[in-house]
Amino acid sequence: GENVEQHPSTLSVQEGDSAVIKCTYSDSASNYFPWYKQELGKRPQLIIDIRSNVGEKKDQRIAVTLNKTAKHFSLHITETQPEDSAVYFCAASFPSNFGNEKLTFGTGTRLTIIP
Amino acid sequence: DAGVIQSPRHEVTEMGQEVTLRCKPISGHDYLFWYRQTMMRGLELLIYFNNNVPIDDSGMPEDRFSAKMPNASFSTLKIQPSEPRDSAVYFCASSFGTGSSGNTIYFGEGSWLTVV
């Protein structure tokens, strides 16, 4: 079935250090992997995504890596800042029984940046 | 565009009462999703629509939950009767495409439901 596991559930890092969040997925047919950021009391918003034909993608201080063989992908945030404090969700696409695909989300990682 | 609009933002209701959550998707989006967020289970997909037609409701927890999309600009999620374990944040989201093909899913602000 569709399953996305995300670790760790909570993460605290010193400001300026790097943070890494990891996800694994169950279906080798998954081909799209977005990451969403949810600030306290706000809506989840897409911050970066990667498709299965790419191993790494970077956008300023944020990067995502994908290992299709191992079925895991990771979010890397470098030079962390207080505004990076939020809950981060990974997601993976899964073939649906209804002829299209749908996203399944991980359970989230609460990232706290310590000033 | 104002984004995905949900109402009410907050609702406190008594067990057994009917709850109706409302959503207006982004104009032009052909997919609409209802998610439920809890601490224990994270973001769960309850149901999604394509061009106003329900496609996959396998995430709807039980018969007490129902969702409709009478037109392209409006959807409701109804819980009847409500129970304390339904307390959660309910997000409506929309996209052009399923979201799994690289089309961004845009979330509303959420409806915070508390059933006492």
Side-chain angles (χ1 to χ4, degrees):
Chain A
E2 327 150 349
N3 190 39
V4 177
E5 293 191 1
Q6 183 171 348
H7 300 280
S9 57
T10 60
L11 178 61
S12 295
V13 301
Q14 289 291 138
E15 183 178 351
D17 288 350
S18 296
V20 181
I21 302 170
K22 299 181 180 181
C23 289
T24 60
Y25 58 97
S26 57
D27 193 333
S28 57
S30 297
N31 58 18
Y32 175 64
F33 309 91
W35 286 87
Y36 282 76
K37 175 183 180 183
Q38 185 180 25
E39 297 178 359
L40 187 62
K42 301 288 184 64
R43 71 186 83 189
Q45 292 187 293
L46 179 72
I47 55 171
I48 194 168
D49 57 12
I50 191 168
R51 297 173 192 268
S52 60
N53 58 346
V54 175
E56 183 175 358
K57 183 176 179 180
K58 192 172 182 180
D59 182 4
Q60 299 182 345
R61 295 186 297 108
I62 295 174
V64 58
T65 59
L66 171 65
N67 183 328
K68 285 220 73 177
T69 303
K71 291 188 284 188
H72 69 69
F73 56 112
S74 301
L75 178 72
H76 304 253
I77 306 174
T78 58
E79 301 173 18
T80 53
Q81 301 171 3
E83 55 263 36
D84 295 329
S85 293
V87 178
Y88 292 81
F89 292 94
C90 63
S93 64
F94 289 88
S96 164
N97 293 332
F98 304 91
N100 48 27
E101 294 185 325
K102 61 181 182 181
L103 285 179
T104 295
F105 284 83
T107 50
T109 296
R110 182 173 298 280
L111 175 63
T112 302
I113 307 303
I114 304 167
Chain B
D1 199 308
V4 177
I5 299 173
Q6 291 185 245
S7 64
R9 289 294 316 280
H10 300 271
E11 175 140 354
V12 180
T13 190
E14 291 186 346
M15 182 173 63
Q17 296 298 305
E18 178 179 290
V19 174
T20 300
L21 308 179
R22 298 173 177 79
C23 176
K24 181 181 187 308
I26 293 173
S27 178
H29 283 184
D30 57 346
Y31 279 82
L32 182 140
F33 309 84
W34 282 101
Y35 286 90
R36 178 172 67 176
Q37 184 176 31
T38 60
M39 288 292 292
M40 292 298 296
R41 302 172 69 92
L43 271 170
E44 300 175 276
L45 177 64
L46 300 178
I47 185 172
Y48 72 93
F49 296 81
N50 176 216
N51 291 324
N52 314 339
V53 176
I55 301 299
D56 183 353
D57 65 354
S58 59
M60 296 286 260
E62 47 197 276
D63 291 345
R64 297 185 297 106
F65 286 69
S66 62
K68 294 182 179 179
M69 192 167 185
N71 57 62
S73 58
F74 184 66
S75 177
T76 60
L77 178 67
K78 188 172 294 187
I79 308 172
Q80 167 63 19
S82 58
E83 296 181 3
R85 60 193 169 116
D86 301 331
S87 298
V89 183
Y90 291 82
F91 285 101
C92 177
S94 71
S95 66
F96 184 67
T98 63
S100 61
S101 56
N103 307 106
T104 302
I105 291 179
Y106 294 88
F107 286 81
E109 296 279 8
S111 291
W112 297 63
L113 174 65
T114 302
V115 182
V116 298

